[in-house]
Amino acid sequence: MELSEKKEEVTETLHIPVLRKKWQILVLQITSTVSLLLLLKRMSDIYGPCSDDFILNNNADTWCPSYEHTRGLMWMENANGLLIPDFLLGVGQTGTMSMIGPLVLCLFATFAIERFWSSSQELQNRIKQVAAALLGAWVILPFLFSWIFATFSNGFHFPWNSNDSMNHIGELFHPLGLMGELVFLGIVFAPVLVGLIGIWGLSKRSITWVVGYYIIVIAFHAVLTFEPIVSEVDVGLRALPTQIGEGSMFGGLVSPLASSLLGVAILMLLFMESGTAAISHMEYAASLPEESKRDSEYIRQFNNVVNSHLIQLLVVVSLVGVTTALALAFDDLMISIVGILEGTQWTGQVKESLELQMTYGKVISAGLFIIAVAGLRFVVPWQIVSGYVESGISRLRSN
Amino acid sequence: MLAGGVSLILVGMMISNFQMMIIGLTFIAFISINGWIVGQSELEITRFVPHSNVYKGDLIEVSLTITNKSYRRTQLLEVFDNVPHEMKIRRGINQIRINLGPGQSTKLDYMLRCPLRGHFSVGPISVRHRNAFGLFVNESKIEDMCDITVFPQVRDVEDAMLRADVPKMYTGATTLRTPGPGMEFYSLREYLSTDPIRSINWKAFARTGEMMVNQKTRDAVTDVFVILDTREVSRIGTVLKNPLEMGASAAASLASHFLKRKDSVAMVTYGSRMDFLPPDTGDKQQYKVLSRLASVSPSGSMPLQAVTNALSPRISRGSPVFIISSLEGDGTTLPAIRNLSGNGHEVIILSPSSVDLERLVSRIPRMAYEVLKLERQNRLTAVSGYGAKVVDWMPDVELSQALVQSRG
């Protein structure tokens, strides 16, 4: 017993390699990763399809700038062919299956980048030199070989010529095809790659970048599907409905569209908070001197802080989801309450008001609800209640 | 996040996009819910410092016990004990992140090194409470201060004083054949109500049946005067190695040495003004000397002669006088020492080499260094010509070694 206790004292420290295996930190990182993948899936579902008109009016080879990679890659394949194999790009697959290959690429790239960053500066320089040399060779060598071999059959000539067999300049631009493929892939999977690097490579900036990227994607989609813009330039994106619809899920609380959009917001929040939390805790641990990393009090308090963070993350994010859903349905409640107070002309007008259920009314009523929720903290003494419960439990345990 | 949320709602409203509005609302809801988690700093924090008086270079263990006395969880708290920048954390760290449940407590231990002498205060304790997501931060201070006095280092100069050419014959306790405070037995006499109990000779009481007390022979003492130069010029050198730091350490060591020998020591510091600590003996005097030396700082340009003139009526005849000064920038040094020697005092000058100390912080051209060094040698030779014993104290030489090199 004593021996095992001593062993535990030695093994539990606040060193980064030990923390990386700590279950609380792993839960935070895995939660963040799962949120990121679910966010990708949900974003693809909402912003991936092109508009019905676009699909009807164009064939499968045409491309619209939606949040989906296979359509663009297929368009490229038809134009010039693809350098990366289809199974890695997800070309020819639909739905979730089309993401498997690129996700494997992202995982591999995350691992490679992580190893690259953790290697010595000398090795990093060597890898950069070799990569640059390989890229240079890929650009130059096919061009040189094709030109030299062509001089044997056609005699000496300049590499640019109207005759295709004597024109070799195109070889120089061959690697650009790969860049194009990576761009199409990157539009959808760059946030996944950067997010994974952020979560597992411990970079808060990367995590913030991902959230910013998704908000920009949403903003671009919103602008490109905005009615006055669509009437001028229709790029074929499918617009979101202007009405959020009647609540039919979770006991009539939210509509399917609201649930879907709320899911994106909650996943974004969960990804950001759990990812940055893991990094913050490890940053704090890294800032401690060697003796404190082994100090049992520091370890105990670190566990206290991380455990309560996990509980708060779970509770707060759930409450945020519920509160936002309630806030979105608050206009209905207000109309129902006013409806009960029948009799005056004003109540009748409000009851029949469509404006309250449209964008402005919904947001204003939601804002009012959230303000009320924020104010409730001065009324509900939950911390004192939970404190009494906690001290009661600890007293029972000690008895 | 608040700005982002509001912006998303507004932009979403402008272009009738529910996704942006919902993300904005979610961010705002997140902030609102976070507002429910309020940290608190109703803590009982006690700081324990085993010693409030230490010597320069010593280590101090500081221990903070933090207890949550309330019925609420503290939430994420950062406790930071403010440490003066002159002190260096040697082990542990002066901050901790905690989340204490009701009634729970924790302990923060760290060790400080005191590389500089002076009077310092550890504290107040800063408590920053924030919620788990770092959205709300509130900082408060607990005004719990702990004063620490860092005395200059006291070196053992016993051997050096024996070997050095300094006035040994005057110093040390000399027994006189008269009763009084001292160490050696003088006689027995009857007990008086004013006598301390511990002076009772119990064996004599058992033998005679009368209360008898031991009388001691009175120790005669010599007054030793230590004059320390704290003028602005004593700043030359690095923070840790300059004439004042070397001088403070030397003054403390000499005072300690003579006080141990039951001599009476007076301490004089002069810079912007003269401070005189009258001669006295014992541990209390040592504490006073060390406290005085802990607080000296380089300032002013008072001439030495002004000090010796002011002191002359107070210096006992024949008392040895130690002057600790770089002897820089003072044209009155020679007449002052001439006067002291002329009055029959044994004068010992301990002079930290300011030229060599300056070399520690700035590059002096070789030629200039040679010239400055020659000037200094001439000055020291002139001083020794007036009968003073001079110690040219180089920065890398220990005090005991320097004392042995005294020349007259």
Side-chain angles (χ1 to χ4, degrees), chain A residues 381-392, chain B residues 71-73 75 102:
Chain A
W382 74 271
Q383 278 183 301
I384 294 172
V385 174
S386 68
Y388 273 109
V389 170
E390 195 178 343
S391 51
Chain B
Y71 273 100
R72 283 167 56 194
R73 192 162 259 283
Q75 302 305 337

Side-chain angles (χ1 to χ4, degrees), chain A residues 136-155:
Chain A
W138 186 28
V139 173
I140 298 292
L141 290 181
F143 162 71
L144 283 178
F145 283 133
S146 115
W147 187 19
I148 290 163
F149 286 130
T151 53
F152 292 134
S153 51
N154 300 325

Side-chain angles (χ1 to χ4, degrees), chain B residues 339-391:
Chain B
N339 289 348
L340 281 174
S341 297
N343 288 338
H345 297 291
E346 190 79 32
V347 181
I348 303 103
I349 298 171
L350 195 55
S351 178
S353 174
S354 50
V355 181
D356 291 281
L357 284 163
E358 195 172 351
R359 272 184 112 190
L360 298 174
V361 283
S362 59
R363 198 173 164 275
I364 304 171
R366 195 168 155 270
M367 188 59 85
Y369 172 72
E370 295 293 340
V371 171
L372 289 168
K373 198 77 182 161
L374 195 64
E375 273 180 17
R376 179 173 161 76
Q377 289 301 328
N378 289 339
R379 200 179 306 133
L380 296 184
T381 308
V383 169
S384 62
Y386 285 108
K389 295 190 187 316
V390 183
V391 177

Side-chain angles (χ1 to χ4, degrees), chain A residues 47 222 242 261 265 273 284 291 297-298 300-301 304 308 312 359-360 363 370 373 377 382-383 387 390, chain B residues 1 9 13 17-19 21 26 32 35-36 38 71 73 75 92-93 95 97-99 105-106 108 132-133:
Chain A
Y47 300 103
T242 49
L261 302 183
E273 287 306 326
Y284 165 68
E291 308 84 33
E297 275 304 308
Y298 276 84
R300 194 163 69 89
Q301 288 309 319
N304 259 357
S308 38
Q312 286 181 9
T359 319
Y360 299 116
V363 171
I370 288 171
V373 168
R377 86 175 174 93
W382 74 271
Q383 278 183 301
E390 195 178 343
Chain B
M1 191 172 250
I9 291 173
M13 283 168 78
N17 184 278
F18 265 112
Q19 178 68 87
M21 283 186 282
T26 310
S32 302
W36 283 52
V38 186
Y71 273 100
R73 192 162 259 283
Q75 302 305 337
I93 192 167
Q95 58 177 310
R97 270 189 195 179
I98 54 171
N99 190 338
S105 66
T106 189
L108 162 65
F133 306 98

Side-chain angles (χ1 to χ4, degrees), chain B residues 27-223:
Chain B
F27 282 4
I28 305 279
F30 183 66
I31 294 168
S32 302
I33 300 290
N34 263 281
W36 283 52
I37 307 163
V38 186
Q40 54 97 9
S41 54
E42 290 164 30
L43 301 169
E44 186 184 271
I45 302 183
T46 50
R47 190 195 289 105
F48 175 69
V49 180
H51 309 290
S52 58
N53 296 322
V54 292
Y55 290 96
K56 184 179 161 183
D58 280 2
L59 299 171
I60 311 173
E61 278 273 4
V62 181
S63 181
L64 284 182
T65 307
I66 307 153
T67 310
N68 178 13
K69 288 280 183 189
S70 75
Y71 273 100
R72 283 167 56 194
R73 192 162 259 283
T74 60
Q75 302 305 337
L76 180 56
L77 276 190
E78 284 175 5
V79 178
F80 178 86
D81 199 11
N82 287 282
V83 170
H85 63 86
E86 291 90 351
M87 293 182 172
K88 303 291 165 213
I89 294 173
R90 198 59 184 272
R91 187 173 56 75
I93 192 167
N94 57 335
Q95 58 177 310
I96 189 170
R97 270 189 195 179
I98 54 171
N99 190 338
L100 294 175
Q104 284 182 350
S105 66
T106 189
K107 209 173 172 196
L108 162 65
D109 292 313
Y110 62 94
M111 189 181 270
L112 287 176
R113 186 170 176 272
C114 313
L116 293 173
R117 61 174 176 81
H119 299 283
F120 305 105
S121 294
V122 177
I125 300 159
S126 299
V127 180
R128 187 183 295 154
H129 54 91
R130 58 172 87 203
N131 64 1
F133 306 98
L135 292 180
F136 300 101
V137 180
N138 198 355
E139 192 166 318
S140 57
K141 278 189 177 166
I142 296 172
E143 293 295 329
D144 182 6
M145 306 292 285
C146 173
D147 295 327
I148 292 170
T149 303
V150 182
F151 297 143
Q153 273 176 330
V154 175
R155 304 283 189 192
D156 185 13
V157 291
E158 186 76 43
D159 288 347
M161 294 301 279
L162 283 172
R163 286 191 286 143
D165 189 13
V166 290
K168 289 180 278 290
M169 66 290 278
Y170 298 114
T171 65
T174 314
T175 53
L176 298 176
R177 298 305 298 166
T178 49
M183 294 297 286
E184 283 186 27
F185 178 77
Y186 179 69
S187 68
L188 275 176
R189 65 163 170 80
E190 283 184 8
Y191 173 77
L192 299 173
S193 59
T194 50
D195 288 326
I197 297 290
R198 63 177 183 168
S199 67
I200 294 171
N201 188 328
W202 295 106
K203 280 182 183 171
F205 173 59
R207 201 167 54 242
T208 61
E210 285 183 19
M211 294 278 265
M212 304 293 278
V213 292
N214 288 335
Q215 271 190 307
K216 300 282 173 68
T217 51
R218 187 168 72 83
D219 285 341
V221 293
T222 301
D223 293 342

Side-chain angles (χ1 to χ4, degrees), chain B residues 224-226 255 259 264-269 274-280 284-293 311 314:
Chain B
V224 178
F225 281 76
V226 180
L259 287 168
S264 178
V265 174
M267 175 66 60
V268 183
T269 56
M274 190 185 96
D275 283 312
F276 177 63
L277 188 65
D280 204 349
K284 205 171 174 183
Q285 178 71 351
Q286 179 160 13
Y287 178 77
K288 282 183 192 170
V289 168
L290 291 174
S291 298
R292 177 68 57 84
L293 290 173
L311 276 180
R314 304 186 205 182

